[in-house]
Amino acid sequence: EVKKKNDEIVDKVLKLIKQRGIPTADYQTQRVNLYKNYDYNTKKYKMIDKKELKKFLIENETHTIENTEEKLLDFVKGTMLNRNDVIDQDDQSHHRQEERLRKQLDKQVHDHHHHLEEIEALNFNPSQVVEPGAVIKVNDNYMVIATADGNFTFEGKNFISISTKAPIYQCMMGKKKGDVCSFNNNDFKIEEIY
């Protein structure tokens, strides 16, 4: 559907270019892809660009850190007690609750900084076994062995990021393409390793 609409628009643009007499050396009609990782002629995905994936994960984690730090600063600014005001027991109780929340936000910031350091330290070279930095396709699902950061979409594919501490990773660690591991009464076949 999207490709069809794109082709129609490109066709109109090319007709306009020809009507205006623009030389063919001044425009390109090949290699225009919605996803550079997808071959629209064969309708298959190409290899996953792990360097781009690492860059994406670093940018995503950096963005998360910035947002969480901003929330923490806003929270701290809004919860400061004015020592010149009369402070009763309710104020002190609220302040203790707010302090617990502040510590939780501070822990989130710390955890995301740690995730960023872990991602930066990972080797995202091609893998032959399930290991840190590997991208694997398991039961038609993509996983990246990095940090426990949940689901995301990269180059048109849905991923889940898991850490080496995840129990399912312990089941898959060291496995090769075609191997199967059982976890929680489910079999997981490793279809691809990138």
Side-chain angles (χ1 to χ4, degrees):
E1 172 83 19
V2 173
K3 184 178 181 333
K4 183 179 177 185
K5 287 181 182 179
N6 185 58
D7 289 346
E8 289 171 1
I9 293 170
V10 168
D11 189 52
K12 288 178 185 177
V13 169
L14 289 174
K15 286 179 183 176
L16 181 65
I17 287 172
K18 288 178 183 176
Q19 286 176 352
R20 301 251 170 116
I22 297 173
T24 56
D26 291 342
Y27 61 92
Q28 178 180 338
T29 60
Q30 296 297 314
R31 297 189 179 132
V32 177
N33 295 329
L34 297 175
Y35 294 114
K36 62 183 176 184
N37 196 23
Y38 187 75
D39 185 332
Y40 287 91
N41 293 323
T42 63
K43 302 206 183 312
K44 292 186 179 181
Y45 284 97
K46 301 173 189 172
M47 276 291 278
I48 293 171
D49 186 341
K50 289 177 67 177
K51 300 290 184 207
E52 284 298 313
L53 176 59
K54 182 176 183 176
K55 182 179 168 186
F56 172 85
L57 291 172
I58 289 170
E59 289 172 358
N60 192 42
E61 201 63 50
T62 301
H63 180 71
T64 301
I65 289 168
E66 290 168 357
N67 284 343
T68 308
E69 285 176 339
E70 186 177 316
K71 287 178 187 175
L72 176 61
L73 286 173
D74 289 346
F75 182 79
V76 169
K77 286 178 189 175
T79 61
M80 295 181 79
L81 290 175
N82 185 345
R83 297 290 174 196
N84 296 327
D85 291 341
V86 176
I87 300 171
D88 62 17
Q89 286 184 338
D90 282 346
D91 289 335
Q92 290 177 349
S93 174
H94 289 317
H95 183 68
R96 282 190 295 275
Q97 288 174 330
E98 291 165 347
E99 183 64 18
R100 282 192 290 276
L101 291 172
R102 186 203 57 79
K103 285 180 180 179
Q104 288 175 347
L105 282 171
D106 194 43
K107 182 181 179 327
Q108 287 179 5
V109 169
H110 175 75
D111 289 348
H112 286 291
H113 275 287
H114 182 67
H115 288 179
L116 180 60
E117 290 170 3
E118 286 181 333
I119 294 167
E120 289 174 335
L122 282 174
N123 177 345
F124 273 73
N125 290 333
S127 300
Q128 300 299 316
V129 297
V130 179
E131 62 186 352
V135 174
I136 58 175
K137 185 176 180 186
V138 179
N139 297 1
D140 289 326
N141 296 300
Y142 290 91
M143 294 182 180
V144 59
I145 313 302
T147 58
D149 282 329
N151 301 329
F152 63 93
T153 301
F154 175 73
E155 291 187 351
K157 295 179 181 150
N158 295 321
F159 283 80
I160 183 166
S161 179
I162 64 170
S163 81
T164 56
K165 295 177 182 103
I168 192 160
Y169 172 74
Q170 300 304 315
C171 169
M172 294 187 285
M173 181 174 57
K175 301 277 193 236
K176 297 178 181 174
K177 180 179 174 178
D179 288 349
V180 176
C181 76
S182 295
F183 179 75
N184 284 348
N185 297 322
N186 292 307
D187 289 336
F188 294 90
K189 182 176 182 184
I190 299 164
E191 299 166 11
E192 297 289 339
I193 299 179
Y194 303 95

